[in-house]
Amino acid sequence: MAQGLEVALTDLQSSQNNMRHHTDEISVDRLLVRRGQAFNITLYFKNRGFQPGLDNIIFVTETGDTVYLDSEPQRQEYVMNDYGFIYQGNKNWIRPCPWNYGQFEENIIDICLKLLDKSLNFQIDSATDCALRGSPVYISRVVCAMINSNDDNGVLNGNWSENYMDGVNPAEWTGSVAILKQWHATGCQPVRYGQCWVFAAVMCTVMRCLGIPTRVVTNFDSGHDTDGNLIIDEYYDNTGRILENKKKDTIWNFHVWNECWMARKDLPPGYGGWQVLDATPQETSNGLYCCGPASVRAIKEGEVDLNYDTPFAFSMVNADCTSWLVYGGKEQKLHQDTNSVGNFISTKSIQSDERDDITENYKYGEGSPQERQVFLKALQKLKTGRFQGPHWADSQPSRPMPPSQDSPRSLDTPSLRPSDVVQVSLKFKLLDSPNMGQDINFVLLALNMSSQFKDLKVNLSAQSLLHDGSPLSPFWQDTAFITLSPKQAKSYPCKIFYSQYSQYLSTDKLIRISALGEEKSSPEKILANKIITLTYPGIMINVLGAAIVNQPLTIQVIFSNPLSEQVEDCVLTLEGSGLFKKQQRVLIGILKPHYKVSVSLKTVPFKSGQRQIQANLRSNKFKDIKGYRNVYVDFGL
């Protein structure tokens, strides 16, 4: 009888396998392979050679193919690309914010695995947790809960208070690597601070690092329905100022989450593919602050009884909105809008810097019979309670927000009133671009569409907003008395000085101007508002010379103080995977009014291919002047 084989050495061929599996940027010293693709190993025996036909070698492995994308361009974008854009602003002025995902940077794979080991699931039952790690549904919920720190020592603390003295203003971050490395270096203490786009960006890094196709998605005018009735209620006072919401329903100017690609064997056929995961701590799901995975197709079809957290995801893109006037302890219904929630749902295009609008993936066209049918189906399922939904309570960032806006940098809500026939309309119009540091000039347009004279009293106000809809204190008010002849239009000029709004402005740079008009001897009210996003000039980045691996490269960064006042504590931050080993910080100090600066830095690129530089300038007056530059790095000789 032949002597049994004894293994002397196993060569995992890590370098060759990792290159074929596109994991060589992570490591070439240990085997990292992806699902659904062959790899080679070599066994060396010490007692005799392998004899085909006589010897049998049995490998016991367990693999799956539940996250496989059959499109190579999609795999390159959603797994391999280590930079991208997160869309912010408002629905009529969408701006890309550059972000360094950096999933292949040094130690990131180990930090991601550490994150899994720090989860409550692993702490409670490590054996079961490890056994379930092959399931993308399971692992995505674990990661989602670990990105925020509400239940555990997760990666990020959320903060919507505008007080960031003991941490970093969320608007200042330009990448995930610095956040994940800080979390790991401090013994897994939560990093201060994050908001929705930071949570989503860090989750994208972790999921791409773990090999799950992931993209970052922005929803403009995003609903946050806390009680599960698919209605967002907004309250106004008699000046048109939006009020703190007792129910804590909100419409966020924009909200950011992730989509991850996976099979859903736990759902009926047809509901696999892109799934919503939202790591921002808004509501609890099975006792933890996480949301999803919720099938995007299930959201579109109103199948809110399918796991996980589909009702909440549905409300973010397709809730209705009701406006109420609060006065004298009473509430008067002004308007109900079926199409204001969920607009221009956006993500970065495949292998392009352009924006993809994916709204049609989430819902049928607003105003279409299919959209209303789906809404009513979802509402009926919620009312009958045929599912175990999320806990519609314990809202974290819970505050209301404005209705809408117009022009390249502002959104506009037309006159709202209960009458089906609007006889008088009010609308705001900007007279010039709303640039930071300058006065805001606009007019209120009043139009009498009736054949009768109209005497109007219009209360005007302005207040700052946070991107989650939180109203701050009003800083400007005015009253206009307008008499309109039949069919007449008039304009009322308005100006808000920089000195009036500068000290009240939030980091989000949002100002809401509103008008509440009433006709003489009539109880009816007319509401109009506009949200203005103030803009900064961007940072210009120039690459001086050819970019070649392991060759010195000079980067020129040009920026200026956009304000007519001196700013202090200026810091320029740069990063870029494959270009800088770590985040670069340049202390600038004081910048005089409108002063322009040019800074040159030297670096040595260490990875070839398409790369991106991300830059941010902060000061005591502003926090997030951004810029980016794409760079192609040649491998060289």
Side-chain angles (χ1 to χ4, degrees), residues 133-147:
R133 287 186 182 181
S135 163
V137 173
Y138 175 81
I139 212 72
S140 64
R141 284 182 64 79
V142 170
V143 172
C144 190
M146 279 299 297
I147 296 300

Side-chain angles (χ1 to χ4, degrees), residues 150-215:
N150 285 44
D151 307 297
D152 42 45
N153 281 340
V155 177
L156 280 160
N157 264 344
N159 187 340
W160 288 262
S161 72
E162 287 291 283
N163 179 6
Y164 311 110
M165 293 295 292
D166 57 346
V168 175
N169 187 313
E172 295 180 33
W173 297 113
T174 53
S176 307
V177 176
I179 295 170
L180 288 166
K181 288 191 173 182
Q182 180 180 327
W183 176 76
H184 188 255
T186 57
C188 305
Q189 293 300 306
V191 176
R192 300 171 179 170
Y193 287 105
Q195 290 183 9
C196 65
W197 68 93
V198 187
F199 290 114
V202 174
M203 182 157 182
C204 183
T205 297
V206 174
M207 298 301 276
R208 286 186 183 181
C209 184
L210 297 177
I212 298 176
T214 303
R215 59 189 185 185

